[in-house]
Amino acid sequence: MSEQTVQRTTVPARAAWSAVVRAGATLTITDLHGNQAVDFLVYDAGDTTVRYSAPDTIQEQGNIFLTTGSVLMSNEHTPLMTVVADDVGRHDTVGGACSKESNTLRYGHHTWSQHACVDNFLAEGARYGLGKRDLVSNINWYMNVPVEKDGTLGIVDGISAPGLSLTLRAERDVLVLVSNCPQINNPCNGFEPTAVEMTIGAPE
Amino acid sequence: MATATTYGARAHARAQEGTRAEAMPVVPASAWPAPPCEAGHLVWAETVAGGNYTHKVLARGTELRLTDLLGDACAHLLLFAADRPWERLNVADTVKVQWNAYLGEGQLLLSDQGRVLATVIADTSGRHDALCGTSGLVRNTERYGDGTPQSPSPAGRELFKLAAAKNGLAPRDLPPSLSFFQGVEVREDGSLDFTGSAGPGLSVTLRTEQDITVLLANVPHPADPREAYTSTPLEVLAWRAEATRSGDPLWEATPEGHRAFLNTAEFLAARGIA
């Protein structure tokens, strides 16, 4: 750990993680083994009714992919975090989280007993008094979701690789919820979820 | 008419009965002049002004037709399971589960519980959007000078907050919304093309598959590049019909949709509803 590193945590495959990141501080997410989707929600730490909005973020930059320079906007169209570095080049804003319920639609009812991101968000959010009403469409770091000309959209093989990372700067005190995606039925985790690393850096 | 006394003020107020405005609800709905169904089946008939909102709780098996009368309506839509608002429209699941970023005929509007809230059963517009959501106060204030509900340029989110409050819901209950009649297309690099309206007189018809609370805001699409706040009336008609049943082509149209209908039917059966 460098002097500037406040906290470094390895989040195991399928696990949840959360932290408050102070204004000006950075959060680096490292895809340790490559091709691992990191489902991500962010809230104003002081007022969690102000939270990440996929549509406001898409509006703001006129693009559905996130990369360096992208500003994560709240539902009140105010900046929550900014992507200040990105080794990968594009991340998903559209696909949302996997859930036990959506898995039954996408793959079949046999998937009901499997782990899913929404359960991670609910369990981790509950520690802060957040419930189901507080879950909205989230970011999927490292997940590759192209949209074809006719609108066909889907999760395809990732373009990340072991050790690649991205760094976010908090534009205000924010609460970050992460589900290190447990999905095993699509290529978002290469059909085998792996660990990721979260590093919080001190404010500059 | 003198309004200096309570009697005069009462008479003045009562004399307004029967006034017609361009945008207003028609009550009872059966009094709507040109019903698209048997007049007695109409349950909702309203013209929503540009920059305004409306809301209604609709029973399962209601058809809801939205019409862009003059070509510059944009119907921002949110759906909640009536009386169980924690089950609500999930835009991400709606596009992901159906492998399609665009909205149109045959599509299911899915809840976060793997069930169908409503289906799109007819669409003559083809210009819709599931990506950009609605407009907000901050951006409308930057773009138009104001975004508050009573201003000439209300933001969609501000109107949704009011419609939500009238159904016992709070801002934290508002997820990303869909919008009809103003389209967006995605280029290969992920950037967006605003395609705007397909013209006046076009409509979209939804069918409710559960009892649902509908929130509608008629405001400009957030990606509308025009300098002026441009928003024209939206016609809303709803009538009693039937929910989608086994045997309907929609029921079997896709494996994902089929399972969504099965989940919905099982849920309703367990509750003793259908």
Side-chain angles (χ1 to χ4, degrees):
Chain A
M1 272 183 21
S2 78
E3 279 176 43
Q4 295 306 308
T5 301
V6 175
Q7 180 192 331
R8 177 168 291 166
T9 312
T10 299
V11 182
R14 297 178 297 279
W17 178 86
S18 62
V20 171
V21 183
R22 297 293 170 196
T26 57
L27 171 64
T28 297
I29 304 173
T30 305
D31 185 4
L32 294 172
H33 304 283
N35 200 20
Q36 172 61 34
V38 180
D39 286 45
F40 183 97
L41 281 170
V42 52
Y43 302 77
D44 183 317
D47 177 4
T48 56
T49 67
V50 177
R51 72 276 302 258
Y52 172 70
S53 165
D56 284 86
T57 302
I58 292 168
Q59 277 176 36
E60 181 64 16
Q61 56 179 9
N63 197 298
I64 60 169
F65 301 135
L66 300 176
T67 186
T68 308
S70 299
V71 180
L72 311 188
M73 301 296 282
S74 78
N75 52 1
E76 297 293 350
H77 212 80
T78 51
L80 292 169
M81 300 185 96
T82 302
V83 184
V84 294
D86 173 26
D87 291 336
V88 176
R90 71 187 216 190
H91 305 268
D92 170 59
T93 58
V94 173
C98 61
S99 66
K100 293 165 83 76
E101 293 78 14
S102 69
N103 282 347
T104 70
L105 304 189
R106 297 175 70 202
Y107 313 110
H109 289 95
H110 65 282
T111 58
W112 177 258
S113 62
Q114 295 173 4
H115 300 291
C117 282
V118 166
D119 286 13
N120 272 340
F121 281 143
L122 288 172
E124 197 69 17
R127 299 175 56 204
Y128 305 88
L130 300 175
K132 190 171 170 313
R133 297 161 70 190
D134 300 296
L135 299 190
V136 288
S137 301
N138 57 280
I139 294 167
N140 296 298
W141 300 115
Y142 303 109
M143 197 165 90
N144 188 13
V145 184
V147 178
E148 312 293 344
K149 235 179 160 38
D150 65 359
T152 302
L153 141 168
I155 301 163
V156 300
D157 290 344
I159 52 174
S160 181
L164 298 189
S165 71
L166 65 100
T167 300
L168 299 155
R169 181 184 64 227
E171 301 300 341
R172 62 175 95 180
D173 292 356
V174 293
L175 166 64
V176 170
L177 297 187
V178 162
S179 168
N180 191 24
C181 184
Q183 183 61 256
I184 53 172
N185 299 291
N186 76 45
C188 74
N189 302 324
F191 302 95
E192 188 191 354
T194 52
V196 295
E197 185 179 78
M198 300 289 167
T199 308
I200 299 176
E204 286 171 12
Chain B
M1 197 176 292
T3 51
T5 67
T6 50
Y7 306 107
R10 183 173 64 189
H12 174 267
R14 286 180 173 173
Q16 295 187 44
E17 166 76 28
T19 306
R20 298 283 309 179
E22 183 194 22
M24 63 182 285
V26 169
V27 181
S30 57
W32 184 260
C37 59
E38 215 175 298
H41 289 187
L42 270 180
V43 295
W44 188 10
E46 179 169 354
T47 307
V48 183
N52 218 305
Y53 73 96
T54 189
H55 58 101
K56 192 75 81 186
V57 179
L58 293 177
R60 164 178 151 81
T62 303
E63 292 186 14
L64 170 64
R65 192 179 78 185
L66 307 174
T67 304
D68 176 7
L69 292 173
L70 303 178
D72 275 313
C74 184
H76 299 260
L77 177 82
L78 280 174
L79 303 175
F80 302 81
D83 309 322
R84 295 179 295 107
W86 49 89
E87 177 173 356
R88 63 193 187 193
L89 177 69
N90 186 314
V91 170
D93 281 355
T94 294
V95 300
K96 176 177 63 181
V97 168
Q98 300 181 87
W99 303 87
N100 201 308
Y102 303 146
L103 298 169
E105 191 170 312
Q107 245 157 343
L108 318 185
L109 307 187
L110 297 172
S111 81
D112 48 59
Q113 293 300 293
R115 298 192 278 255
V116 193
L117 292 172
T119 43
V120 182
I121 56 168
D123 173 22
T124 62
S125 160
R127 303 273 183 95
H128 314 298
D129 175 29
L131 301 171
C132 293
T134 194
S135 53
L137 176 63
V138 167
R139 191 131 180 275
N140 270 32
T141 304
E142 286 166 8
R143 292 189 64 194
Y144 308 116
D146 203 344
T148 55
Q150 310 288 8
S151 75
S153 46
R157 180 168 167 79
E158 298 306 299
L159 300 182
F160 272 146
K161 285 178 187 172
L162 297 178
K166 290 175 179 180
N167 288 278
L169 304 175
R172 65 191 279 236
D173 293 300
L174 300 174
S177 56
L178 299 174
S179 59
F180 293 94
F181 303 123
Q182 303 283 337
V184 163
E185 283 177 3
V186 184
R187 301 195 197 100
E188 200 180 341
D189 65 356
S191 63
L192 299 176
D193 255 333
F194 179 68
T195 56
S197 167
L202 304 176
S203 69
V204 171
T205 306
L206 309 180
R207 176 193 284 160
T208 62
E209 307 291 349
Q210 300 189 41
D211 293 355
I212 56 169
T213 301
V214 180
L215 309 186
L216 273 171
N218 180 23
V219 299
H221 188 280
D224 188 332
R226 289 173 287 189
E227 222 167 280
Y229 185 94
T230 308
S231 183
T232 56
L234 173 74
E235 181 187 277
V236 179
L237 294 177
W239 57 90
R240 283 197 301 274
E242 284 194 11
T244 305
R245 291 194 290 193
S246 175
D248 186 302
L250 206 51
W251 190 272
E252 302 283 353
T254 67
E256 296 83 12
H258 182 224
R259 290 192 287 266
F261 279 120
L262 287 176
N263 283 357
T264 311
E266 189 208 41
F267 169 78
L268 295 171
R271 291 200 73 191
I273 292 172

